[in-house]
Every structure is written in C-alpha cells, then in structure tokens.
Amino acid sequence: MTYLAHTGHAQFGALGLACLGWMLTGVALGLIQWRVWQVSDRAVITSGVAWVGLWRVCFASHTVVSEGFKVMYCRYIMLTDSFTPPEIAAGQVLMLLSLLVGVCGNASGVYSMRIVYFGIGKNSTVRRGFILTGLLCLLAAAISLVPLLWNLSAVVTNQTIEFPPEFKLPPAPESQHVGGGIGVGMAGSVLMIVSGIIFCTYRLPKRPLREQVHQENDTRGEDNPTFEFQEHL
C-alpha cells in the first residue's frame, strides 16, 4: 500500500470537528432552553420565564415544586401526547436519528484514518471510507437542521402550545425568543457540514511517494553529472 499518512492531515482535523459537532448535537437534544417564554403572571412562575425544550417544560417557582427539583417545576413532553406540536415531535425523533447517523459517520472516519496512518488495507478503501464518512456527516447535519429550523420558525412567528392544566403554563406567552438549545444545535450542524465537506474532498495522490523520490533523485543526478576517467596504459 502507498504511504498516505501525509495526505490525511485535513481529514484528521475534520474528524475532530465531526466529534465535536456530534457532541453538541447531543447536548442540544437534552437542553430545555429551545424556546424561552416570558410570562406576566408570576403567581406560579416566580421568575416570569419558562423554558420549553424537546423533552421537558420547566420554570422556577417558590410555590410549586416537582419531584427531584428543589426550585424548578418540570413536566415531560411525550411524543404521544395530543398537545405536542409537530415541530417538537419531529425534534424528538430526528435529533435522535441525527445522533445515530453521526456516530456511524465518526466510526467510519476513525476506521478510515486507521487505514491512512497505519497502512492497513488498499488505497481505494481509503477514498471510499472518507466519502462514506463525509456523506454520513452531511446527512446527520441535514437531519438535525430540520427540527432546528422548524422550531426556530415557530419562535419567530410566535406560535404557542396548548399545554394541559397540570403544566401550569398560560395559554400563550407574553413574548418568546430563541433559547440556547437551538444555538448549540446549529453550531453542531455547522461543524458536521464542514467536516463532511473536508472528508468528501479527499483525493489520493496521483503517484506513489516512492516513485516521486526516485524521480527526484534521478533529476538531481542529471543536474550534477559525474565523469569517470580511465587511465590508459
């Protein structure tokens, strides 16, 4: 197999970006700050702020406290709940799917880098491995962008959610804005896109490094010819 370690430095950096993007996607999935609601009635929501995530709705309260939280009241949003809006239901499914595709892409990237740096396998395998890694990273980013942009649009258009009474939230917020969860998810998607592009642009060297070295040596020999003199008797 041709020596290829010198050709994979950009892809090694892309693998780091892909891992970081995948982790940010996982962090965004668990954050509750996807939508930030501002409410005027502070009888129950003491802070006047409620956080709506993909899986939970939480707010600070000194009058109502949920199990496991000393000053936070939280209720879970289930995929099968009738009040769950389509953008949140899509987020629960697609963000998990994005994590699964992303981990497959990272695994493919690790395997391809192993071939490059340790010389295990064929040259054609490296190219196909990097292409597969790039496509998986791009697919993971595309899947996560769907719920991210959908929820972003819901906040911008000030769409509300009809929560049941036990959630203790008003029918509509006074105002709402985008939370950090969407921002973290966007950052993760961008990193996955950048890494996917870098993986897909990998090119094998046109000729083996050993042949290049031999040709350079031959060229140097032509530029500095040596002459042998024979003594005639």
Side-chain angles (χ1 to χ4, degrees):
M1 178 179 173
T2 307
Y3 179 78
L4 296 175
H6 65 292
T7 67
H9 299 324
Q11 282 66 38
F12 184 78
L15 181 60
L17 293 179
C19 292
L20 180 58
W22 179 81
M23 287 188 290
L24 290 177
T25 302
V27 170
L29 178 62
L31 289 176
I32 60 173
Q33 296 90 352
W34 278 57
R35 305 186 191 187
V36 182
W37 283 19
Q38 302 287 340
V39 298
S40 55
D41 186 3
R42 300 195 177 188
V44 177
I45 305 176
T46 310
S47 64
V49 178
W51 299 280
V52 181
L54 292 181
W55 304 98
R56 289 182 300 166
V57 177
C58 297
F59 56 83
S61 176
H62 297 310
T63 58
V64 181
V65 179
S66 59
E67 256 184 75
F69 299 91
K70 292 184 178 180
V71 294
M72 293 285 290
Y73 179 79
C74 294
R75 300 288 297 187
Y76 285 93
I77 303 174
M78 306 302 293
L79 182 63
T80 55
D81 289 337
S82 59
F83 68 88
T84 304
E87 65 271 15
I88 289 182
Q92 292 180 354
V93 175
L94 293 179
M95 292 297 285
L96 286 174
L97 181 59
S98 175
L99 284 178
L100 178 60
V101 175
V103 75
C104 292
N106 285 323
S108 175
V110 171
Y111 177 75
S112 301
M113 294 306 304
R114 178 173 174 268
I115 296 176
V116 168
Y117 282 105
F118 294 98
I120 303 172
K122 299 180 180 180
N123 292 348
S124 58
T125 306
V126 177
R127 171 68 175 158
R128 288 196 296 266
F130 280 142
I131 290 293
L132 176 62
T133 302
L135 292 177
L136 288 173
C137 290
L138 292 174
L139 179 59
I143 293 173
S144 63
L145 279 175
V146 172
L148 287 167
L149 294 176
W150 197 350
N151 280 272
L152 177 63
S153 174
V155 175
V156 171
T157 56
N158 199 29
Q159 296 181 18
T160 186
I161 305 173
E162 296 182 2
F163 290 108
E166 60 267 22
F167 278 71
K168 303 185 184 302
L169 287 170
E174 186 176 279
S175 64
Q176 61 177 312
H177 61 269
V178 178
I182 294 180
V184 172
M186 288 288 190
S189 297
V190 170
L191 291 179
M192 294 293 284
I193 291 173
V194 173
S195 64
I197 293 173
I198 295 175
F199 279 121
C200 289
T201 55
Y202 177 80
R203 294 291 183 274
L204 287 168
K206 294 182 179 179
R207 53 190 172 183
L209 181 62
R210 189 175 299 174
E211 293 181 6
Q212 295 180 15
V213 173
H214 286 326
Q215 184 174 358
E216 290 176 1
N217 291 336
D218 293 341
T219 304
R220 290 171 186 167
E222 293 175 0
D223 293 340
N224 301 291
T226 58
F227 298 94
E228 296 180 357
F229 296 92
Q230 297 180 351
E231 183 179 355
H232 297 278
L233 296 177

